[in-house]
Amino acid sequence: MAKKRPQTKAKRPQLTDGEIPAVGAREPCPCGSGRRYKACHGRAAAHAVTELVQRPFEGLPGECDWVALRELVPAATVGLTLKDGLPEGVPSVTLATVLPMAWPALRRDDGSVLLGLQNDTASGDLSRDLADTLQRALEAKPGTPVQGRRAPADGPRMQDLLDPEGAFEPVVHAGFEFWVPDPENASPEVAASLERANAAAIPTVKLTGVDAAYWCETPEKNHLRWVMPHPEEQLLDALARLHAAGRSSLGEGTRLVGSFRAHGLTVPVWDLPSGVSADDVEKPAAEFAERLAAALASDAPLTADERRARGGLTNRQVTLS
């Protein structure tokens, strides 16, 4: 094992997080201590990365849809309502799954703001990173993108900036034409970028009869991925009860195959025959929601068959975040 370097006892100059520019881990720390950044102020930053907030969207309207748009949906937008209203010169703020060039945010020529959700973040609190990006976008010059950075540890979170009573109503798009105001008259470069992005997008539809359930189409089969707000252990028990009773499907040829874990929530996944559309699964999903509510209300010990079903579901869990 590598030996630890002796720590200097000399008092180093103090800087706040906002005063420390981004530098490489092996570069001299800008505070003037003479030590490498990773062994000086960078130690606190590295520690902050490890402190993962398990449910970054908890308390926001539409938490389950936030998770879906972050992890599952290729192209979607949502209008955001700020707690203190829109600043002068900002006609709207819109959350988008992905922005061109993977920009964290974009201030458009008309002053409106697009905030990207599916980006790598520098800390363990996705909500704080998004809030920092949003604040900088609101102050950016029109027509400029906002680059990523490490958010201040004491900065606000999205829960501090958004109206808790504001609606969160995702609009799922077939492609990424929302990137540009007039896609039909876009430049050849932009048109080519849109074409590539659209070709890679998996067709996705949000169900209307239940919350945070998204149908998607793949070459082999279709799927329903449903983000649920219930505590994981309680939800797995309920799913196991239904699975053991043969009541966990969404109709003929469909099958509950497992679940994802994402941002502190559980996302059950069903395989659907390729001919089953989003419209076809609306009624079965609503009926399943009623069966699930009854199963969630039960506190009876699991039977042997239900425990086996639960073990199978647990073994087919995949953690996304």
Side-chain angles (χ1 to χ4, degrees), residues 41-64:
H41 278 87
R43 302 176 81 184
H47 179 65
V49 171
T50 65
E51 296 180 344
L52 178 66
V53 176
Q54 297 292 338
R55 288 182 64 178
F57 306 121
E58 186 176 15
L60 287 173
E63 179 188 7
C64 294

Side-chain angles (χ1 to χ4, degrees), residues 59-80:
L60 287 173
E63 179 188 7
C64 294
D65 284 309
W66 278 89
V67 172
L69 268 57
R70 167 71 183 183
E71 300 294 340
L72 306 173
V73 181
T77 55
V78 189
L80 298 181

